[in-house]
Amino acid sequence: MTPKNIKKIDRRGLLLVLSSPSGAGKSTLSRLLLDQDKNITLSVSMTTRKPRTGEVDGVDYNFVTKAEFEALVAEDGFLEYAKVFDNDYGTPAAPVELAMKEGRDVLFDIDWQGTQQLTQKVAKDLVRVFILPPSKDELERRLKERAQDSAEVVAKRMSKASEEISHWDGYDYIIVNDDLDKAEQQLFSILQAERLNRERQTGLVSFVHKIIGEG
Ligand code: 5GP
């Protein structure tokens, strides 16, 4: 039985980055994690790409014009930004800073370029996870299954996939997604373990002092 008077130990929020080539299951895994764990929120990126069917402005992305995107670049309002498949994508800094201040964790679905920029800016708070498909054939099959993009876009993404995968070694954890349930468990375990990192648990000093009677 858990005693009722245990106080939650303060901790600093972490920034969990998920990257993968399209078709490795990253969006599905992000959704599962967000549904399961209420202490982590998605960083909603800004993009100049047109919305796909079913995508909701302000939920999946903030869909903006090139001029709106460039205005935020000029204001230095992005934590990171990059061009991916001819469109601009970026992480607005303000919501992330607020979440960190409030001790909430933030999930990023961004590419390797954005991950490199975050590594330069906020390395200490970063947990970088790369999702690999189980094989090239499976990646191809998953990309074709996505009916939303034209054949031309699928071909382009397939060729881009190897480029994205070549940056796998810039990540802390690698998950091979051959079984969704297993991959979900592995991602969840990474998050749980990283939350217990000593330096992230900013309330530990006073907690321990109370236990040993020095508080
Ligand atoms: P999609 O157009 O399929 O939603 O995303 C294409 C790629 O852009 C994905 O690899 C996704 O992770 C990446 N991406 C989405 N938002 C951002 C962002 O804010 N910054 C960066 N660097 N990449 C992003």
Side-chain angles (χ1 to χ4, degrees), residues 101-172:
K101 233 179 254 166
E102 293 175 354
R104 282 183 288 123
D105 303 320
V106 186
L107 178 67
F108 298 83
D109 174 341
I110 62 174
D111 81 330
W112 68 271
Q113 305 172 81
T115 308
Q116 279 193 349
Q117 293 172 45
L118 290 187
T119 303
Q120 279 157 17
K121 282 192 176 167
V122 287
K124 245 183 84 177
D125 297 314
L126 216 53
V127 179
R128 300 165 301 183
V129 180
F130 198 89
I131 318 277
L132 282 173
S135 67
K136 189 177 175 207
D137 286 353
E138 179 60 17
L139 178 66
E140 212 156 39
R141 196 189 64 75
R142 288 182 197 172
L143 276 178
K144 282 184 186 147
E145 220 176 57
R146 288 181 164 193
Q148 291 205 21
D149 293 317
S150 68
E152 188 197 341
V153 172
V154 171
K156 203 167 165 188
R157 286 186 174 220
M158 195 58 207
S159 77
K160 280 267 182 184
S162 14
E163 190 196 324
E164 182 77 24
I165 289 174
S166 72
H167 297 281
W168 68 278
D169 57 354
Y171 289 76
D172 306 303

Side-chain angles (χ1 to χ4, degrees), residues 26 45 49 52 61 80 89-91 109-111 114 157:
K26 178 180 51 172
S45 294
R49 163 166 87 59
R52 298 194 187 111
Y61 281 105
E80 61 74 33
Y89 295 82
T91 303
D109 174 341
I110 62 174
D111 81 330
R157 286 186 174 220

